[in-house]
Amino acid sequence: QKSLNETFGADKYTRARKEVLTYMFSRPMQMALYFCTGVLKDETLFRHYALNVPFYTHFTSPIRRYADIVVHRLLSASLGVSSHIKMRKEDIQRQAEHCNDRKMASKRVQELSADLFFSIFVRVR
């Protein structure tokens, strides 16, 4: 980010150019995937590369995504705060794969939309 800030001037298109390049640089990064730990035997797959931690669970407010609701429920049950989840690990994995599919489809539509508007921007300018 620092090198991007130092590279561009101060004209009216500076911010747009930085946003486009930041988007393009972050695009190839691997997306996080949901999975059921009881299905995967290789614990090295549980680690978070950027944070360099061996076990990692990500979730946000459960009002946003179904996957976050599932994670909240599983963590709550594992901490003994709520009752046991009556789902088999294979069912949880199937739900995780469905959430991954929907997330990737959504990301692809977002990328195509950004490409379209970027093309229009370049054409107009």
Side-chain angles (χ1 to χ4, degrees):
Q1 189 67 34
K2 183 179 176 186
S3 63
L4 281 177
N5 289 334
E6 293 171 353
T7 302
F8 294 111
D11 66 8
K12 63 182 180 177
Y13 298 115
T14 296
R15 183 171 178 215
R17 284 195 298 265
K18 282 196 298 190
E19 285 184 26
V20 167
L21 284 176
T22 299
Y23 170 74
M24 292 173 77
F25 290 150
S26 64
R27 192 181 220 177
M29 295 172 73
Q30 182 180 3
M31 286 183 60
L33 296 174
Y34 297 108
F35 61 90
C36 177
T37 58
V39 173
L40 299 180
K41 302 300 179 210
D42 184 1
E43 288 188 2
T44 62
L45 297 173
F46 302 174
R47 74 178 296 107
H48 190 288
Y49 177 78
L51 296 177
N52 194 26
V53 292
F55 297 101
Y56 179 80
T57 297
H58 171 81
F59 61 91
T60 60
S61 171
I63 62 173
R64 294 191 60 211
R65 294 181 291 233
Y66 178 70
D68 295 323
I69 293 171
V70 173
V71 172
H72 275 249
R73 289 176 182 167
L74 291 169
L75 284 173
S76 180
S78 70
L79 295 171
V81 176
S82 65
S83 61
H84 178 71
I85 303 296
K86 294 176 175 61
M87 288 178 72
R88 296 176 314 137
K89 60 186 174 186
E90 294 80 14
D91 296 330
I92 295 170
Q93 180 61 28
R94 200 170 11 268
Q95 288 291 328
E97 289 169 0
H98 177 73
C99 289
N100 290 332
D101 290 342
R102 296 297 84 217
K103 183 170 69 166
M104 287 189 195
S106 173
K107 183 165 178 56
R108 183 68 184 136
V109 169
Q110 179 184 5
E111 290 172 351
L112 291 170
S113 175
D115 290 348
L116 173 65
F117 284 100
F118 178 65
S119 299
I120 292 169
F121 175 79
V122 169
R123 186 175 187 185
V124 169
R125 300 292 178 238

